Amino acid sequence: MLNFLNILLAATVKYVNSDNTMVIVWGKPTSFYNPTPYVNTTLNWIQCVQECYNFERCVLAYQNSTGCNLYVFNGMPSVKKTNSTQDFQVAFKVQGFADTCPVGTNPPTFNNKNASGYLYVTDNVYYPQKVWYNISLSGSSWKLTYTTSSLCPSNYNTYVTYADGRQNCVIILWSNMTVGGYQNVSDTTCKQFGGTLPTLNFPIDVDVFTYLANLYRNNFASSEFYIRIDGVRTKSCQSNPNSTECLTPEGFTFTDPSFLNSFQQYDWVTNAGAKEESDDNCLVLVYPNTTKFMQVDVRSCTTKGTIQALGMLCAKPAFT
């Protein structure tokens, strides 16, 4: 339950919880049709303000004979200032004011300083969004401007959330052309998508990568293919791949900045020293998987070998 405080004026009320605050002032939206608010006919005014607080997208609440009108960040009209004699009230959702409400004129833009807000929107979007907005007063009207950042670009397939709270965006790409399968081309392609070839740091990594391979397997020219991930055998290990050091991450170079320098999550078809062809120096995931998840092997950095259908995975930190 939110704290309920009477502050400043009889017509200014504040709800407080975490970083968000609902500030009630004299005012009235200038439009009820374009944009059209969400309307709830069963709520009273106090419940209406609470509903806006709880609703991820809501930045403004207003009550009239139609009911509770909730305006979202990308659909808030300008709001005209009124006074106590007109008896119109609105509630703005803003950040700050966690302990006490500032003293000043024209709240929530106290003393004509812009009010700011932040939302984390997960409803009705493919990827969660961060929203930053400002409320400014111009003459007798408040207006809202905003910017957004999506968790992942729209061309990425999915995202991974780790136990420590980090999130990565992931995309699987496929190429049945020879040049597209080269390790160096795959690395460059990932960079063009803002990411890097990924490594396997946690069980969820190979879980998600296997899921994507199964989901998009029909896009590959063959039912057998391998998917490039990060890891190229060092020159010193190419002639003696089964030496002790060469069987560890020290035997490979990695570009993924999040790599934990461990092969703990690597389920090998053979081992890190595998080398059937002279060019078998690059790490790949092999499909179809004979175990629950895809296994790792060391295959050609170009396109040598029997499996010719190739793909790659790219990953990038979320909100970047």
Side-chain angles (χ1 to χ4, degrees), residues 188-222:
T188 300
T189 300
C190 277
K191 289 178 181 177
Q192 292 172 348
F193 278 81
T196 61
L197 293 168
T199 49
L200 310 179
N201 294 311
F202 303 97
I204 194 174
D205 288 320
V206 70
D207 187 353
V208 169
F209 299 162
T210 302
Y211 163 77
L212 288 176
N214 280 310
L215 186 64
Y216 293 100
R217 65 184 184 275
N218 291 334
N219 292 290
F220 290 83
S222 171

Short mmCIF file of all heavy atoms in Angstrom, two decimals, residues 188-222:
data_model
loop_
_atom_site.label_atom_id
_atom_site.label_comp_id
_atom_site.label_asym_id
_atom_site.label_seq_id
_atom_site.Cartn_x
_atom_site.Cartn_y
_atom_site.Cartn_z
N THR A 188 32.76 -10.52 -38.29
CA THR A 188 32.46 -9.19 -38.83
C THR A 188 30.96 -8.95 -38.91
O THR A 188 30.47 -7.86 -38.59
CB THR A 188 33.09 -9.02 -40.23
OG1 THR A 188 34.50 -9.19 -40.13
CG2 THR A 188 32.78 -7.65 -40.80
N THR A 189 30.22 -9.99 -39.31
CA THR A 189 28.76 -9.86 -39.41
C THR A 189 28.16 -9.57 -38.05
O THR A 189 27.27 -8.71 -37.91
CB THR A 189 28.15 -11.14 -40.00
OG1 THR A 189 28.69 -11.37 -41.30
CG2 THR A 189 26.63 -11.02 -40.09
N CYS A 190 28.61 -10.25 -37.02
CA CYS A 190 28.10 -10.00 -35.67
C CYS A 190 28.36 -8.55 -35.25
O CYS A 190 27.50 -7.91 -34.64
CB CYS A 190 28.74 -10.96 -34.67
SG CYS A 190 27.94 -12.57 -34.59
N LYS A 191 29.51 -8.05 -35.58
CA LYS A 191 29.83 -6.67 -35.23
C LYS A 191 28.89 -5.70 -35.94
O LYS A 191 28.51 -4.67 -35.39
CB LYS A 191 31.28 -6.36 -35.59
CG LYS A 191 32.29 -7.06 -34.68
CD LYS A 191 33.73 -6.77 -35.10
CE LYS A 191 34.71 -7.50 -34.19
NZ LYS A 191 36.12 -7.30 -34.63
N GLN A 192 28.50 -6.05 -37.18
CA GLN A 192 27.54 -5.21 -37.90
C GLN A 192 26.18 -5.20 -37.22
O GLN A 192 25.41 -4.25 -37.36
CB GLN A 192 27.41 -5.69 -39.35
CG GLN A 192 28.66 -5.48 -40.18
CD GLN A 192 28.59 -6.14 -41.54
OE1 GLN A 192 27.70 -6.95 -41.81
NE2 GLN A 192 29.54 -5.80 -42.42
N PHE A 193 25.87 -6.25 -36.48
CA PHE A 193 24.64 -6.33 -35.71
C PHE A 193 24.83 -5.79 -34.30
O PHE A 193 23.94 -5.92 -33.46
CB PHE A 193 24.13 -7.77 -35.65
CG PHE A 193 23.36 -8.19 -36.87
CD1 PHE A 193 24.03 -8.60 -38.02
CD2 PHE A 193 21.98 -8.18 -36.88
CE1 PHE A 193 23.33 -9.01 -39.14
CE2 PHE A 193 21.27 -8.57 -37.99
CZ PHE A 193 21.95 -8.98 -39.15
N GLY A 194 25.99 -5.23 -34.04
CA GLY A 194 26.26 -4.64 -32.72
C GLY A 194 26.66 -5.64 -31.66
O GLY A 194 26.66 -5.30 -30.47
N GLY A 195 26.99 -6.87 -32.07
CA GLY A 195 27.32 -7.89 -31.09
C GLY A 195 28.62 -8.59 -31.39
O GLY A 195 29.44 -8.12 -32.19
N THR A 196 28.81 -9.72 -30.73
CA THR A 196 29.98 -10.57 -30.94
C THR A 196 29.52 -12.01 -30.99
O THR A 196 28.42 -12.36 -30.54
CB THR A 196 31.01 -10.42 -29.80
OG1 THR A 196 30.39 -10.81 -28.56
CG2 THR A 196 31.51 -8.99 -29.68
N LEU A 197 30.37 -12.88 -31.54
CA LEU A 197 30.12 -14.31 -31.41
C LEU A 197 30.15 -14.66 -29.93
O LEU A 197 31.04 -14.21 -29.20
CB LEU A 197 31.17 -15.10 -32.17
CG LEU A 197 31.15 -14.96 -33.71
CD1 LEU A 197 32.42 -15.58 -34.30
CD2 LEU A 197 29.91 -15.63 -34.30
N PRO A 198 29.19 -15.44 -29.45
CA PRO A 198 29.09 -15.67 -28.00
C PRO A 198 29.93 -16.83 -27.50
O PRO A 198 30.39 -17.69 -28.27
CB PRO A 198 27.60 -15.95 -27.82
CG PRO A 198 27.23 -16.67 -29.09
CD PRO A 198 28.06 -16.03 -30.18
N THR A 199 30.08 -16.88 -26.20
CA THR A 199 30.69 -18.01 -25.51
C THR A 199 29.63 -18.66 -24.63
O THR A 199 28.51 -18.17 -24.52
CB THR A 199 31.87 -17.52 -24.64
OG1 THR A 199 31.45 -16.40 -23.85
CG2 THR A 199 33.05 -17.10 -25.51
N LEU A 200 29.99 -19.78 -24.02
CA LEU A 200 29.06 -20.52 -23.16
C LEU A 200 29.51 -20.39 -21.71
O LEU A 200 30.42 -21.07 -21.26
CB LEU A 200 29.03 -22.00 -23.56
CG LEU A 200 28.83 -22.31 -25.05
CD1 LEU A 200 28.85 -23.81 -25.28
CD2 LEU A 200 27.55 -21.70 -25.56
N ASN A 201 28.87 -19.48 -21.00
CA ASN A 201 29.26 -19.22 -19.62
C ASN A 201 28.35 -19.89 -18.60
O ASN A 201 28.78 -20.20 -17.49
CB ASN A 201 29.29 -17.72 -19.35
CG ASN A 201 30.38 -17.03 -20.14
OD1 ASN A 201 31.53 -17.47 -20.14
ND2 ASN A 201 30.04 -15.94 -20.82
N PHE A 202 27.08 -20.07 -18.97
CA PHE A 202 26.09 -20.60 -18.04
C PHE A 202 25.23 -21.64 -18.75
O PHE A 202 25.11 -21.61 -19.99
CB PHE A 202 25.21 -19.48 -17.49
CG PHE A 202 25.96 -18.38 -16.81
CD1 PHE A 202 26.28 -17.20 -17.50
CD2 PHE A 202 26.38 -18.52 -15.50
CE1 PHE A 202 26.98 -16.19 -16.88
CE2 PHE A 202 27.09 -17.51 -14.87
CZ PHE A 202 27.39 -16.34 -15.55
N PRO A 203 24.59 -22.55 -18.03
CA PRO A 203 23.73 -23.54 -18.68
C PRO A 203 22.65 -22.92 -19.56
O PRO A 203 22.30 -23.48 -20.60
CB PRO A 203 23.12 -24.29 -17.48
CG PRO A 203 24.13 -24.16 -16.39
CD PRO A 203 24.72 -22.78 -16.58
N ILE A 204 22.15 -21.75 -19.18
CA ILE A 204 21.08 -21.13 -19.96
C ILE A 204 21.57 -20.71 -21.35
O ILE A 204 20.78 -20.63 -22.29
CB ILE A 204 20.50 -19.91 -19.20
CG1 ILE A 204 19.17 -19.47 -19.86
CG2 ILE A 204 21.49 -18.76 -19.14
CD1 ILE A 204 18.46 -18.37 -19.10
N ASP A 205 22.87 -20.49 -21.51
CA ASP A 205 23.40 -20.09 -22.82
C ASP A 205 23.16 -21.18 -23.86
O ASP A 205 22.54 -20.95 -24.89
CB ASP A 205 24.89 -19.78 -22.73
CG ASP A 205 25.17 -18.48 -21.99
OD1 ASP A 205 24.43 -17.51 -22.20
OD2 ASP A 205 26.13 -18.44 -21.21
N VAL A 206 23.64 -22.37 -23.58
CA VAL A 206 23.48 -23.46 -24.55
C VAL A 206 22.02 -23.88 -24.65
O VAL A 206 21.56 -24.36 -25.69
CB VAL A 206 24.40 -24.65 -24.21
CG1 VAL A 206 23.93 -25.37 -22.95
CG2 VAL A 206 24.52 -25.60 -25.38
N ASP A 207 21.26 -23.69 -23.59
CA ASP A 207 19.82 -23.97 -23.62
C ASP A 207 19.14 -23.07 -24.66
O ASP A 207 18.40 -23.54 -25.54
CB ASP A 207 19.23 -23.73 -22.23
CG ASP A 207 17.77 -24.15 -22.13
OD1 ASP A 207 17.17 -24.51 -23.16
OD2 ASP A 207 17.23 -24.11 -21.01
N VAL A 208 19.39 -21.77 -24.58
CA VAL A 208 18.78 -20.83 -25.51
C VAL A 208 19.31 -21.03 -26.92
O VAL A 208 18.54 -20.97 -27.90
CB VAL A 208 19.02 -19.38 -25.04
CG1 VAL A 208 18.63 -18.37 -26.11
CG2 VAL A 208 18.24 -19.11 -23.76
N PHE A 209 20.59 -21.29 -27.07
CA PHE A 209 21.17 -21.48 -28.40
C PHE A 209 20.57 -22.73 -29.07
O PHE A 209 20.29 -22.72 -30.28
CB PHE A 209 22.69 -21.62 -28.32
CG PHE A 209 23.38 -20.40 -27.74
CD1 PHE A 209 24.68 -20.48 -27.26
CD2 PHE A 209 22.73 -19.17 -27.69
CE1 PHE A 209 25.32 -19.36 -26.74
CE2 PHE A 209 23.37 -18.04 -27.16
CZ PHE A 209 24.67 -18.15 -26.69
N THR A 210 20.37 -23.79 -28.30
CA THR A 210 19.74 -24.99 -28.85
C THR A 210 18.30 -24.72 -29.24
O THR A 210 17.82 -25.18 -30.29
CB THR A 210 19.81 -26.14 -27.83
OG1 THR A 210 21.18 -26.40 -27.48
CG2 THR A 210 19.20 -27.42 -28.40
N TYR A 211 17.61 -23.97 -28.42
CA TYR A 211 16.21 -23.60 -28.72
C TYR A 211 16.13 -22.85 -30.05
O TYR A 211 15.27 -23.15 -30.90
CB TYR A 211 15.65 -22.74 -27.59
CG TYR A 211 14.40 -21.98 -27.96
CD1 TYR A 211 13.17 -22.61 -28.03
CD2 TYR A 211 14.48 -20.61 -28.25
CE1 TYR A 211 12.02 -21.90 -28.39
CE2 TYR A 211 13.34 -19.90 -28.60
CZ TYR A 211 12.12 -20.55 -28.67
OH TYR A 211 11.00 -19.84 -29.02
N LEU A 212 17.03 -21.89 -30.27
CA LEU A 212 17.01 -21.11 -31.51
C LEU A 212 17.35 -21.98 -32.72
O LEU A 212 16.76 -21.83 -33.79
CB LEU A 212 17.98 -19.93 -31.40
CG LEU A 212 17.56 -18.79 -30.47
CD1 LEU A 212 18.66 -17.74 -30.40
CD2 LEU A 212 16.26 -18.15 -30.94
N ALA A 213 18.31 -22.88 -32.55
CA ALA A 213 18.67 -23.77 -33.66
C ALA A 213 17.48 -24.64 -34.05
O ALA A 213 17.21 -24.85 -35.24
CB ALA A 213 19.86 -24.64 -33.27
N ASN A 214 16.75 -25.16 -33.08
CA ASN A 214 15.57 -25.96 -33.37
C ASN A 214 14.47 -25.12 -34.01
O ASN A 214 13.78 -25.57 -34.94
CB ASN A 214 15.04 -26.61 -32.09
CG ASN A 214 15.81 -27.85 -31.69
OD1 ASN A 214 16.03 -28.74 -32.51
ND2 ASN A 214 16.24 -27.91 -30.44
N LEU A 215 14.33 -23.90 -33.54
CA LEU A 215 13.27 -23.02 -34.04
C LEU A 215 13.49 -22.65 -35.50
O LEU A 215 12.54 -22.58 -36.29
CB LEU A 215 13.19 -21.77 -33.17
CG LEU A 215 12.05 -20.79 -33.45
CD1 LEU A 215 10.70 -21.45 -33.16
CD2 LEU A 215 12.20 -19.53 -32.59
N TYR A 216 14.75 -22.43 -35.89
CA TYR A 216 15.05 -21.94 -37.24
C TYR A 216 15.75 -22.98 -38.11
O TYR A 216 16.31 -22.64 -39.16
CB TYR A 216 15.91 -20.67 -37.14
CG TYR A 216 15.17 -19.50 -36.54
CD1 TYR A 216 15.35 -19.16 -35.21
CD2 TYR A 216 14.27 -18.76 -37.30
CE1 TYR A 216 14.66 -18.09 -34.65
CE2 TYR A 216 13.57 -17.70 -36.75
CZ TYR A 216 13.77 -17.37 -35.42
OH TYR A 216 13.07 -16.32 -34.88
N ARG A 217 15.70 -24.25 -37.73
CA ARG A 217 16.43 -25.27 -38.47
C ARG A 217 15.98 -25.40 -39.92
O ARG A 217 16.79 -25.77 -40.78
CB ARG A 217 16.30 -26.62 -37.76
CG ARG A 217 14.89 -27.18 -37.72
CD ARG A 217 14.84 -28.47 -36.90
NE ARG A 217 13.50 -29.08 -36.93
CZ ARG A 217 12.52 -28.74 -36.10
NH1 ARG A 217 12.71 -27.79 -35.19
NH2 ARG A 217 11.34 -29.34 -36.16
N ASN A 218 14.74 -25.09 -40.21
CA ASN A 218 14.24 -25.24 -41.59
C ASN A 218 14.81 -24.18 -42.53
O ASN A 218 14.62 -24.27 -43.75
CB ASN A 218 12.72 -25.20 -41.61
CG ASN A 218 12.10 -26.43 -40.97
OD1 ASN A 218 12.72 -27.50 -40.95
ND2 ASN A 218 10.91 -26.29 -40.42
N ASN A 219 15.47 -23.15 -41.98
CA ASN A 219 16.08 -22.14 -42.83
C ASN A 219 17.44 -22.58 -43.37
O ASN A 219 17.99 -21.92 -44.26
CB ASN A 219 16.23 -20.82 -42.06
CG ASN A 219 14.89 -20.19 -41.75
OD1 ASN A 219 14.20 -19.70 -42.63
ND2 ASN A 219 14.51 -20.20 -40.48
N PHE A 220 17.96 -23.66 -42.84
CA PHE A 220 19.25 -24.16 -43.30
C PHE A 220 19.05 -25.12 -44.46
O PHE A 220 18.05 -25.82 -44.54
CB PHE A 220 19.98 -24.86 -42.15
CG PHE A 220 20.46 -23.92 -41.07
CD1 PHE A 220 19.59 -23.52 -40.07
CD2 PHE A 220 21.75 -23.44 -41.07
CE1 PHE A 220 20.01 -22.65 -39.07
CE2 PHE A 220 22.19 -22.58 -40.08
CZ PHE A 220 21.32 -22.18 -39.07
N ALA A 221 20.02 -25.15 -45.36
CA ALA A 221 19.91 -25.98 -46.56
C ALA A 221 20.03 -27.46 -46.25
O ALA A 221 19.61 -28.30 -47.05
CB ALA A 221 20.97 -25.57 -47.57
N SER A 222 20.61 -27.77 -45.12
CA SER A 222 20.81 -29.17 -44.74
C SER A 222 20.23 -29.41 -43.35
O SER A 222 20.13 -28.48 -42.54
CB SER A 222 22.29 -29.51 -44.77
OG SER A 222 22.51 -30.80 -44.21
#
